[in-house]
Amino acid sequence: GAWKEWSRKENCTLDKRMSWTQLQRAVCRTVAIDGECFIRKVKTHTNPFGFCLQIINTDRVDRTYGRNSPQILGNGNFLFMGVECDPNTGAVVAYHVFNRHPSEAGAGPRQRIRIPAEEIIHVYLPVRDNQWRGFPWALPAMWRMNMLKGYEEAEVVAARVHACQMGFITRNIDPDAAYTGQGGDPGRDYKSDQNIPMEAGAFGQLA
């Protein structure tokens, strides 16, 4: 009935791009990748129900706003990583959100908008008390993954260098003579030009 009709993309989301099913999938994917997802409840006249949802990109909730230490606002509340909280209870009061994504150029100046907490559904998995922002689920493994990436890159480079070198040419010459390099020009001093070719099937010439 009415629920099925509202679940259609033209009624469910503010930008009319996602149905209720698509929105749920996007939330699950975003929480896993970014560690959290923000959904705004919007009263609207763009559909017969007067209500829709809007996904707010995680980067739009400014992590740098009160990041190093909680910042005390003029109303007595404290702010931490874009989240405004009650100093007595720690309850979230509002979220400070950019009007557009930080990476977007043009379209006027970027501004923060204060959105009351009752309009925001903040989806994340808290692992301790007083945790106001989520973190990516892969965070504990990211350091090892970065190290593994470097190791794999080094192994690939080493394998390519090894595969390119078919052999080396040695010559029985005066060890004190100037190195003639890969071009073999006797009139040039190649002592500072000890380059070895890396193309496939190369034969390097040793000094």
Side-chain angles (χ1 to χ4, degrees):
W3 172 254
K4 183 178 180 180
E5 183 66 23
W6 178 84
S7 299
R8 301 180 184 276
K9 63 181 180 180
E10 60 266 22
N11 298 321
C12 180
T13 52
L14 186 63
D15 59 7
K16 303 182 183 299
R17 294 182 179 180
M18 286 188 288
S19 66
W20 174 239
T21 301
Q22 292 172 322
L23 184 141
Q24 292 179 86
R25 290 173 179 168
V27 169
C28 292
R29 183 171 57 251
T30 302
V31 171
I33 296 174
D34 296 338
E36 58 187 349
C37 184
F38 298 90
I39 308 169
R40 187 178 186 181
K41 297 176 284 185
V42 181
K43 295 180 181 180
T44 181
H45 299 291
T46 60
N47 66 44
F49 303 93
F51 174 82
C52 64
L53 299 173
Q54 177 190 18
I55 288 186
I56 297 176
N57 190 286
T58 306
D59 293 334
R60 288 178 56 192
V61 182
D62 189 5
R63 288 181 176 270
T64 65
Y65 197 20
R67 177 177 59 185
N68 296 328
S69 61
Q71 179 178 338
I72 305 301
L73 301 177
N75 58 9
N77 295 334
F78 72 88
L79 184 82
F80 182 70
M81 299 180 74
V83 182
E84 183 180 336
C85 303
D86 184 286
N88 299 315
T89 64
V92 178
V93 176
Y95 296 87
H96 293 257
V97 181
F98 286 126
N99 59 340
R100 56 189 177 87
H101 195 276
S103 65
E104 294 179 6
R110 190 179 65 202
Q111 300 174 339
R112 290 194 195 94
I113 302 172
R114 184 182 184 273
I115 302 178
E118 54 265 24
E119 295 183 17
I120 297 291
I121 303 172
H122 187 188
V123 184
Y124 71 110
L125 296 176
V127 296
R128 60 175 177 81
D129 60 330
N130 295 328
Q131 179 183 335
W132 293 286
R133 297 295 300 262
F135 56 85
W137 293 358
L139 180 62
M142 283 183 176
W143 184 84
R144 294 180 61 87
M145 291 170 65
N146 185 59
M147 295 295 292
L148 181 60
K149 175 186 175 183
Y151 169 74
E152 290 179 342
E153 181 181 0
E155 283 286 0
V156 170
V157 171
R160 290 187 62 182
V161 172
H162 182 270
C164 286
Q165 292 302 312
M166 298 292 292
F168 292 92
I169 299 174
T170 62
R171 293 183 301 163
N172 186 19
I173 60 176
D174 183 1
D176 296 326
Y179 176 57
T180 58
Q182 302 304 321
D185 182 3
R188 179 178 175 185
D189 184 3
Y190 286 90
K191 286 186 176 180
S192 61
D193 185 18
Q194 307 259 345
N195 295 323
I196 298 177
M198 285 295 107
E199 61 269 14
F203 281 84
Q205 179 178 291
L206 299 180

